[in-house]
Amino acid sequence: MLVDSPPEPRAQTAPAPPKRLAIRMVGLLVSAALLLLVFLASIAVGAKSMPLDQVWHGLFHDSGTYGDVVVGERLARSLLGLLAGAALGLSGAVLQALTRNPLADPGLLGINLGASSAVVTAISFFGVTSLSGYVWFAFLGASLVGVLLYLLGGARGATPVRLALAGTAISAALYGYLQAVMIMDGAALNKMRFWTVGSLASANMETIRQVLPFLAVGTVLALGLARPLNAMAMGDDTARALGAHLTRTRALSMAAATLLCGAATAACGPIVFVGLMVPHIVRSFTGPDMRWILPYAAVLSPVLLLGADVVGRIVARPSELQVGIVTAVIGAPVFILLVRRRKLAQL
């Protein structure tokens, strides 16, 4: 007589108490409201001073010079900042969970450098000069690094330590290649100088349309990995006992991070610290549950990126500071603080 085998156990996370759940939901709504305010500020504030009534008229009526400035430049810039910020936050959260390292970010595994190396190759060897051309090369470079990282990290036997070591090796090799090409090719150096800083200034609707499909797929993948990543946080053996498929989860996590970070880097250049800071800060008040870390990171990371972009436009009027510079200035001391707190916690 055949007896049906019992169902395979699945990863479970204890439900949060109703009060805590309500607090987290309210916090997420407040974060979304803050993002809306920063988004509107990004449209209203620029290196060129413009009265709010003219901003409103240009946004909804699109007539004349102000319409071109607001809709053609600021709106596209703000939308790209929102999308890129969410992508960097999600990719950072996924990589931190995958490597079990709360101080990891997309740059740790060489994905940013993969995009940068592909762009300098396109400029130096293929004569690509437009942003629309950079996008595809940058995304291809990030994707190749993601695949190589997974293969070198052990594929089916990949572990957080192997992935981190493989990322370090790939980053060192790509950095050497990047510097060598730029030193030998002065034209490539001049064209790369602006892109490598990280900026939203060249944003346009065409760039957004090019990267949007990759960002959408990466976002869906990342959000769908919350439960498996929760199981993996308890260790490989426990995750297997709970029914998590480790190889599939690692492969999908790498795919999600590559899609998100690759598309964001392709459109804006390598922007540092956003994927590091926000998930780490979010974890301090949500706890380790990825079901909350991921949506909070997706909402609050654009707040940081757009806020830094607004600051960069204000402090250097009539010129502006690229957002990559502002996030680096903010992120460096925060990173030092996070490292010190982590060391103190281990004492």
Side-chain angles (χ1 to χ4, degrees):
M1 179 177 178
L2 295 177
V3 179
D4 291 337
S5 59
E8 186 177 355
R10 294 181 181 274
Q12 298 290 335
T13 303
K19 183 178 180 180
R20 183 182 300 174
L21 181 63
I23 292 174
R24 287 176 175 175
M25 286 298 300
V26 171
L28 195 56
L29 291 175
V30 171
S31 300
L34 179 60
L35 174 58
L36 177 60
L37 290 176
V38 176
F39 181 80
L40 293 175
S42 179
I43 297 175
V45 178
K48 175 181 175 60
S49 180
M50 186 184 299
L52 289 178
D53 61 330
Q54 293 176 342
V55 172
W56 180 270
H57 188 274
L59 183 61
F60 290 100
H61 300 284
D62 191 16
S63 60
T65 303
Y66 289 114
D68 293 340
V69 170
V70 174
V71 178
E73 296 179 14
R74 291 189 187 177
L75 181 59
R77 182 172 185 159
S78 301
L79 283 173
L80 183 58
L82 189 155
L83 294 172
L88 292 172
L90 283 172
S91 63
V94 168
L95 289 176
Q96 287 175 12
L98 181 64
T99 61
R100 297 176 200 158
N101 181 358
L103 298 180
D105 78 327
L108 174 71
L109 301 182
I111 297 175
N112 284 346
L113 277 172
S116 300
S117 299
V119 170
V120 77
T121 299
I123 293 172
S124 184
F125 297 106
F126 298 101
V128 178
T129 58
S130 66
L131 181 63
S132 60
Y134 295 166
V135 167
W136 297 108
F137 277 92
F139 184 75
L140 177 62
S143 301
L144 290 175
V145 168
V147 172
L148 182 61
L149 178 65
Y150 185 69
L151 294 175
L152 291 179
R156 292 182 179 276
T159 64
V161 174
R162 286 182 179 179
L163 288 172
L165 290 175
T168 301
I170 293 171
S171 297
L174 290 177
Y175 182 78
Y177 169 77
L178 187 67
Q179 295 301 311
V181 173
M182 290 197 297
I183 289 173
M184 292 188 296
D185 189 342
L189 174 61
N190 290 332
K191 292 174 183 176
M192 277 287 294
R193 190 159 34 193
F194 182 79
W195 187 84
T196 53
V197 170
S199 174
L200 300 175
S202 300
N204 56 65
M205 290 298 182
E206 180 58 30
T207 300
I208 294 174
R209 281 192 289 268
Q210 287 177 333
V211 300
L212 187 58
F214 304 107
L215 294 175
V217 173
T219 299
V220 171
L221 273 179
L223 294 176
L225 289 167
R227 288 182 181 274
L229 288 173
N230 277 341
M232 287 182 62
M234 294 182 284
D236 288 359
D237 292 337
T238 303
R240 288 192 189 95
L242 291 171
H245 195 297
L246 301 186
T247 301
R248 180 175 61 198
T249 300
R250 288 192 178 109
L252 291 177
S253 297
M254 283 302 306
T258 300
L259 286 168
L260 291 166
C261 181
T265 304
C268 308
I271 297 176
V272 297
F273 289 116
V274 175
L276 164 68
M277 287 190 295
V278 177
H280 190 85
I281 293 170
V282 165
R283 194 177 296 106
S284 68
F285 59 81
T286 65
D289 192 344
M290 294 297 291
R291 295 174 301 174
W292 289 102
I293 291 174
L294 290 171
Y296 265 100
V299 173
L300 291 177
S301 295
V303 172
L304 172 61
L305 188 61
L306 288 174
D309 191 43
V310 171
V311 170
R313 284 182 258 173
I314 293 175
V315 298
R317 281 180 172 172
S319 183
E320 65 177 73
L321 286 177
Q322 282 73 28
V323 66
I325 297 174
V326 180
T327 57
V329 170
I330 296 172
V334 173
F335 180 77
I336 294 171
L337 177 63
L338 293 177
V339 172
R340 287 183 58 84
R341 286 181 58 187
R342 184 170 173 79
K343 285 183 177 179
L344 290 174
Q346 293 174 343
L347 293 178

Short mmCIF file of all heavy atoms in Angstrom, two decimals, residues 54-88:
data_model
loop_
_atom_site.label_atom_id
_atom_site.label_comp_id
_atom_site.label_asym_id
_atom_site.label_seq_id
_atom_site.Cartn_x
_atom_site.Cartn_y
_atom_site.Cartn_z
N GLN A 54 5.95 78.64 -11.17
CA GLN A 54 6.43 78.32 -12.52
C GLN A 54 6.80 76.84 -12.64
O GLN A 54 6.63 76.23 -13.69
CB GLN A 54 7.62 79.21 -12.86
CG GLN A 54 7.25 80.68 -13.00
CD GLN A 54 8.45 81.56 -13.24
OE1 GLN A 54 9.58 81.17 -12.97
NE2 GLN A 54 8.21 82.77 -13.72
N VAL A 55 7.31 76.28 -11.54
CA VAL A 55 7.57 74.84 -11.53
C VAL A 55 6.27 74.07 -11.72
O VAL A 55 6.19 73.14 -12.52
CB VAL A 55 8.25 74.43 -10.20
CG1 VAL A 55 8.35 72.90 -10.11
CG2 VAL A 55 9.64 75.05 -10.07
N TRP A 56 5.24 74.47 -10.99
CA TRP A 56 3.94 73.81 -11.09
C TRP A 56 3.38 73.94 -12.51
O TRP A 56 2.90 72.97 -13.09
CB TRP A 56 2.98 74.43 -10.08
CG TRP A 56 1.60 73.85 -10.09
CD1 TRP A 56 0.53 74.25 -10.84
CD2 TRP A 56 1.15 72.73 -9.34
NE1 TRP A 56 -0.56 73.47 -10.59
CE2 TRP A 56 -0.21 72.52 -9.67
CE3 TRP A 56 1.75 71.89 -8.41
CZ2 TRP A 56 -0.98 71.50 -9.10
CZ3 TRP A 56 0.99 70.87 -7.84
CH2 TRP A 56 -0.34 70.69 -8.18
N HIS A 57 3.47 75.13 -13.07
CA HIS A 57 2.95 75.36 -14.42
C HIS A 57 3.73 74.55 -15.45
O HIS A 57 3.16 73.95 -16.36
CB HIS A 57 3.02 76.86 -14.76
CG HIS A 57 2.32 77.20 -16.05
ND1 HIS A 57 2.95 77.11 -17.28
CD2 HIS A 57 1.06 77.60 -16.29
CE1 HIS A 57 2.10 77.46 -18.23
NE2 HIS A 57 0.93 77.77 -17.66
N GLY A 58 5.05 74.51 -15.31
CA GLY A 58 5.86 73.75 -16.25
C GLY A 58 5.63 72.26 -16.13
O GLY A 58 5.68 71.53 -17.12
N LEU A 59 5.33 71.77 -14.91
CA LEU A 59 5.13 70.35 -14.69
C LEU A 59 3.82 69.87 -15.31
O LEU A 59 3.77 68.80 -15.92
CB LEU A 59 5.15 70.04 -13.19
CG LEU A 59 5.03 68.57 -12.79
CD1 LEU A 59 6.18 67.77 -13.35
CD2 LEU A 59 4.97 68.45 -11.27
N PHE A 60 2.77 70.67 -15.19
CA PHE A 60 1.45 70.20 -15.61
C PHE A 60 0.97 70.80 -16.93
O PHE A 60 0.00 70.34 -17.51
CB PHE A 60 0.41 70.49 -14.53
CG PHE A 60 0.60 69.62 -13.31
CD1 PHE A 60 1.24 70.13 -12.19
CD2 PHE A 60 0.19 68.31 -13.30
CE1 PHE A 60 1.44 69.34 -11.06
CE2 PHE A 60 0.37 67.51 -12.19
CZ PHE A 60 1.00 68.02 -11.07
N HIS A 61 1.65 71.86 -17.40
CA HIS A 61 1.24 72.46 -18.66
C HIS A 61 2.30 72.34 -19.76
O HIS A 61 1.99 72.41 -20.94
CB HIS A 61 0.86 73.94 -18.45
CG HIS A 61 -0.28 74.10 -17.48
ND1 HIS A 61 -1.59 73.84 -17.83
CD2 HIS A 61 -0.30 74.48 -16.19
CE1 HIS A 61 -2.37 74.07 -16.77
NE2 HIS A 61 -1.61 74.46 -15.78
N ASP A 62 3.58 72.23 -19.33
CA ASP A 62 4.69 71.98 -20.27
C ASP A 62 4.67 72.98 -21.43
O ASP A 62 4.57 72.62 -22.59
CB ASP A 62 4.61 70.55 -20.81
CG ASP A 62 5.88 70.20 -21.59
OD1 ASP A 62 6.88 70.91 -21.43
OD2 ASP A 62 5.86 69.21 -22.34
N SER A 63 4.79 74.25 -21.09
CA SER A 63 4.81 75.27 -22.13
C SER A 63 6.07 76.10 -22.01
O SER A 63 6.38 76.62 -20.95
CB SER A 63 3.57 76.16 -22.01
OG SER A 63 3.55 76.81 -20.75
N GLY A 64 6.80 76.20 -23.09
CA GLY A 64 7.95 77.09 -23.12
C GLY A 64 9.14 76.55 -22.36
O GLY A 64 9.28 75.36 -22.09
N THR A 65 10.01 77.48 -21.98
CA THR A 65 11.29 77.13 -21.36
C THR A 65 11.11 76.38 -20.06
O THR A 65 11.77 75.37 -19.81
CB THR A 65 12.11 78.41 -21.11
OG1 THR A 65 12.27 79.09 -22.35
CG2 THR A 65 13.47 78.05 -20.54
N TYR A 66 10.21 76.86 -19.20
CA TYR A 66 10.05 76.22 -17.90
C TYR A 66 9.54 74.80 -18.03
O TYR A 66 9.92 73.91 -17.28
CB TYR A 66 9.11 77.06 -17.02
CG TYR A 66 9.73 78.35 -16.57
CD1 TYR A 66 9.21 79.57 -17.01
CD2 TYR A 66 10.84 78.36 -15.75
CE1 TYR A 66 9.78 80.77 -16.61
CE2 TYR A 66 11.41 79.55 -15.35
CZ TYR A 66 10.89 80.76 -15.78
OH TYR A 66 11.47 81.93 -15.38
N GLY A 67 8.64 74.58 -18.98
CA GLY A 67 8.16 73.22 -19.20
C GLY A 67 9.28 72.30 -19.61
O GLY A 67 9.37 71.16 -19.15
N ASP A 68 10.16 72.77 -20.49
CA ASP A 68 11.30 71.96 -20.92
C ASP A 68 12.21 71.63 -19.74
O ASP A 68 12.69 70.51 -19.59
CB ASP A 68 12.09 72.69 -22.00
CG ASP A 68 11.29 72.83 -23.29
OD1 ASP A 68 10.34 72.05 -23.47
OD2 ASP A 68 11.63 73.72 -24.09
N VAL A 69 12.47 72.64 -18.90
CA VAL A 69 13.38 72.44 -17.77
C VAL A 69 12.80 71.46 -16.78
O VAL A 69 13.45 70.49 -16.36
CB VAL A 69 13.69 73.79 -17.07
CG1 VAL A 69 14.43 73.55 -15.77
CG2 VAL A 69 14.49 74.68 -18.00
N VAL A 70 11.52 71.67 -16.40
CA VAL A 70 10.92 70.86 -15.35
C VAL A 70 10.66 69.43 -15.84
O VAL A 70 11.07 68.46 -15.22
CB VAL A 70 9.63 71.51 -14.84
CG1 VAL A 70 8.93 70.59 -13.85
CG2 VAL A 70 9.94 72.84 -14.19
N VAL A 71 9.94 69.32 -16.95
CA VAL A 71 9.55 68.00 -17.42
C VAL A 71 10.73 67.27 -18.06
O VAL A 71 10.99 66.10 -17.80
CB VAL A 71 8.38 68.10 -18.41
CG1 VAL A 71 8.01 66.72 -18.95
CG2 VAL A 71 7.18 68.74 -17.73
N GLY A 72 11.49 67.97 -18.91
CA GLY A 72 12.57 67.32 -19.64
C GLY A 72 13.78 67.01 -18.81
O GLY A 72 14.51 66.08 -19.11
N GLU A 73 14.02 67.76 -17.74
CA GLU A 73 15.24 67.57 -16.96
C GLU A 73 14.95 67.13 -15.53
O GLU A 73 15.34 66.04 -15.11
CB GLU A 73 16.06 68.87 -16.96
CG GLU A 73 16.55 69.27 -18.36
CD GLU A 73 17.34 70.57 -18.34
OE1 GLU A 73 17.73 71.01 -17.25
OE2 GLU A 73 17.56 71.14 -19.42
N ARG A 74 14.25 67.98 -14.77
CA ARG A 74 14.09 67.67 -13.35
C ARG A 74 13.21 66.45 -13.10
O ARG A 74 13.50 65.66 -12.20
CB ARG A 74 13.51 68.89 -12.62
CG ARG A 74 14.47 70.05 -12.52
CD ARG A 74 13.92 71.11 -11.61
NE ARG A 74 14.74 72.32 -11.62
CZ ARG A 74 14.44 73.42 -10.95
NH1 ARG A 74 13.32 73.47 -10.24
NH2 ARG A 74 15.23 74.48 -11.01
N LEU A 75 12.13 66.30 -13.86
CA LEU A 75 11.26 65.15 -13.64
C LEU A 75 11.99 63.86 -13.98
O LEU A 75 11.94 62.88 -13.22
CB LEU A 75 9.99 65.28 -14.48
CG LEU A 75 8.99 64.13 -14.33
CD1 LEU A 75 8.54 63.98 -12.88
CD2 LEU A 75 7.78 64.35 -15.23
N ALA A 76 12.69 63.83 -15.12
CA ALA A 76 13.45 62.64 -15.49
C ALA A 76 14.54 62.35 -14.46
O ALA A 76 14.77 61.20 -14.08
CB ALA A 76 14.07 62.83 -16.88
N ARG A 77 15.19 63.40 -14.00
CA ARG A 77 16.25 63.24 -13.01
C ARG A 77 15.70 62.67 -11.70
O ARG A 77 16.29 61.77 -11.10
CB ARG A 77 16.90 64.61 -12.76
CG ARG A 77 18.06 64.61 -11.79
CD ARG A 77 18.71 65.96 -11.79
NE ARG A 77 19.92 65.99 -10.96
CZ ARG A 77 20.87 66.88 -11.09
NH1 ARG A 77 20.78 67.84 -12.00
NH2 ARG A 77 21.94 66.85 -10.31
N SER A 78 14.56 63.17 -11.28
CA SER A 78 13.96 62.70 -10.03
C SER A 78 13.47 61.26 -10.16
O SER A 78 13.63 60.45 -9.24
CB SER A 78 12.81 63.62 -9.63
OG SER A 78 13.26 64.95 -9.46
N LEU A 79 12.87 60.93 -11.30
CA LEU A 79 12.40 59.55 -11.51
C LEU A 79 13.58 58.57 -11.53
O LEU A 79 13.51 57.49 -10.94
CB LEU A 79 11.63 59.46 -12.83
CG LEU A 79 10.21 60.01 -12.83
CD1 LEU A 79 9.64 60.01 -14.25
CD2 LEU A 79 9.32 59.20 -11.90
N LEU A 80 14.67 58.96 -12.20
CA LEU A 80 15.83 58.08 -12.24
C LEU A 80 16.44 57.93 -10.85
O LEU A 80 16.85 56.83 -10.45
CB LEU A 80 16.88 58.63 -13.21
CG LEU A 80 18.13 57.75 -13.39
CD1 LEU A 80 17.75 56.36 -13.88
CD2 LEU A 80 19.11 58.40 -14.36
N GLY A 81 16.48 59.03 -10.07
CA GLY A 81 16.98 58.94 -8.71
C GLY A 81 16.14 58.02 -7.85
O GLY A 81 16.66 57.24 -7.04
N LEU A 82 14.82 58.08 -8.02
CA LEU A 82 13.92 57.20 -7.26
C LEU A 82 14.18 55.74 -7.63
O LEU A 82 14.33 54.88 -6.75
CB LEU A 82 12.48 57.59 -7.55
CG LEU A 82 11.37 56.94 -6.71
CD1 LEU A 82 10.14 57.84 -6.67
CD2 LEU A 82 10.98 55.57 -7.26
N LEU A 83 14.24 55.44 -8.92
CA LEU A 83 14.42 54.06 -9.37
C LEU A 83 15.81 53.53 -8.99
O LEU A 83 15.95 52.41 -8.51
CB LEU A 83 14.21 53.98 -10.88
CG LEU A 83 12.80 54.27 -11.37
CD1 LEU A 83 12.78 54.34 -12.90
CD2 LEU A 83 11.82 53.21 -10.88
N ALA A 84 16.85 54.35 -9.24
CA ALA A 84 18.21 53.91 -8.93
C ALA A 84 18.41 53.74 -7.44
O ALA A 84 19.07 52.79 -6.99
CB ALA A 84 19.22 54.91 -9.49
N GLY A 85 17.85 54.65 -6.64
CA GLY A 85 17.97 54.53 -5.19
C GLY A 85 17.33 53.25 -4.68
O GLY A 85 17.92 52.52 -3.87
N ALA A 86 16.12 52.95 -5.15
CA ALA A 86 15.44 51.72 -4.73
C ALA A 86 16.25 50.50 -5.16
O ALA A 86 16.39 49.52 -4.40
CB ALA A 86 14.04 51.67 -5.32
N ALA A 87 16.81 50.54 -6.37
CA ALA A 87 17.59 49.40 -6.87
C ALA A 87 18.85 49.19 -6.03
O ALA A 87 19.18 48.04 -5.67
CB ALA A 87 17.97 49.65 -8.33
N LEU A 88 19.55 50.25 -5.69
CA LEU A 88 20.77 50.12 -4.89
C LEU A 88 20.45 49.62 -3.49
O LEU A 88 21.18 48.80 -2.92
CB LEU A 88 21.50 51.46 -4.83
CG LEU A 88 22.10 51.95 -6.15
CD1 LEU A 88 22.62 53.37 -6.01
CD2 LEU A 88 23.21 51.01 -6.62
#
